Amino acid sequence: MRNYQQLGVDFERFANRLNGLFETMRTIRPDIVDGNYEVIHDEGRLKVVDSTLDERSIVWLEESLNGDRELVRMAAGFNEQVVRTFDTERGNWDEQGVFRRIDDGYGDNGWNRDYSGLAGSVGRTTRFMSLQRDIDSHHLRPELGEHNRFDRTGIYMEKYIEKDIIQYQSTSSGGLEVVRSIEGASMFGWLDLMG
């Protein structure tokens, strides 16, 4: 539970810093900043993927993003937290305070999910632009207020992990676009009752 909550805290910090950087970058090249692309963290760098931008624009965007070393560090830290949440924190604390792993994933709650080996794929799985769009577009119940917006980070990351194989759908103009479904049950489904 601690790791799940930390995901929201970490991503909120990352998103706030990214948005601040984008505001500055937008004054120089709004056409690039507001373009169609994804950002991932891979091999110690932020990289632009799934892009419709030209090569020069991608280079400018990546150099600008990676120029903020704290942003890069935060992205790496978020991915490490994703691994801690889904690949390591699987089991129960016993009476002596020792954490006992459950070998078949989240078997104690009936989901039988196992995200073993996530450290090897988390860089590809965590798509920061999609995550921010999904969190921003979620309709919170009015009585909860905006402070709960990032509590859903773990639910979205779980869906990205499950849908790590990229899916495509046809657009009205005849092209293809990347689709990632976030529908369906979650290990953290109790959060839907709260927001």
Side-chain angles (χ1 to χ4, degrees):
M1 188 59 195
R2 290 186 304 266
N3 281 333
Y4 174 83
Q5 291 169 334
Q6 190 63 43
L7 270 181
V9 171
D10 288 355
F11 189 70
E12 184 173 11
R13 290 178 184 151
F14 173 84
N16 288 338
R17 188 165 186 106
L18 180 64
N19 289 337
L21 179 60
F22 277 162
E23 283 182 31
T24 302
M25 293 167 59
R26 196 171 279 116
T27 63
I28 302 167
R29 292 295 309 268
D31 56 320
I32 296 175
V33 173
D34 296 329
N36 193 7
Y37 56 90
E38 274 294 348
V39 175
I40 64 171
H41 181 272
D42 185 43
E43 297 178 3
R45 292 183 45 83
L46 292 171
K47 294 184 181 178
V48 173
V49 296
D50 294 342
S51 173
T52 59
L53 299 172
D54 61 75
E55 189 62 33
R56 288 182 63 186
S57 297
I58 292 172
V59 168
W60 179 81
L61 192 56
E62 287 183 349
E63 286 179 357
S64 299
L65 292 170
N66 287 293
D68 185 338
R69 294 307 303 160
E70 180 63 11
L71 184 70
V72 176
R73 187 195 65 74
M74 292 170 90
F78 179 78
N79 279 351
E80 290 168 6
Q81 188 61 40
V82 169
V83 173
R84 277 192 293 276
T85 301
F86 292 100
D87 193 18
T88 306
E89 190 178 270
R90 294 181 299 138
N92 297 303
W93 296 94
D94 67 16
E95 297 79 27
Q96 290 78 37
V98 176
F99 189 75
R100 304 286 182 191
R101 280 181 67 101
I102 297 172
D103 293 332
D104 62 346
Y106 286 86
D108 59 337
N109 65 11
W111 290 107
N112 289 325
R113 296 177 189 205
D114 187 353
Y115 300 125
S116 299
L118 186 56
S121 64
V122 69
R124 178 184 68 237
T125 302
T126 305
R127 299 193 170 232
F128 292 104
M129 303 302 288
S130 286
L131 182 55
Q132 185 162 0
R133 278 191 300 271
D134 288 337
I135 288 171
D136 287 347
S137 66
H138 179 71
H139 299 291
L140 290 171
R141 293 195 332 241
E143 65 271 18
L144 296 177
E146 284 296 313
H147 68 280
N148 284 3
R149 180 157 301 282
F150 288 90
D151 288 351
R152 300 186 63 78
T153 301
I155 289 177
Y156 291 124
M157 281 309 305
E158 180 187 17
K159 296 305 171 188
Y160 296 167
I161 292 165
E162 290 176 359
K163 301 293 183 183
D164 195 42
I165 297 173
I166 295 175
Q167 300 173 353
Y168 296 90
Q169 79 178 13
S170 298
T171 63
S172 58
S173 62
L176 291 176
E177 66 181 5
V178 175
V179 176
R180 288 177 181 272
S181 173
I182 56 170
E183 300 300 321
S186 166
M187 294 184 303
F188 307 110
W190 52 268
L191 191 63
D192 287 321
L193 301 175
M194 301 187 322

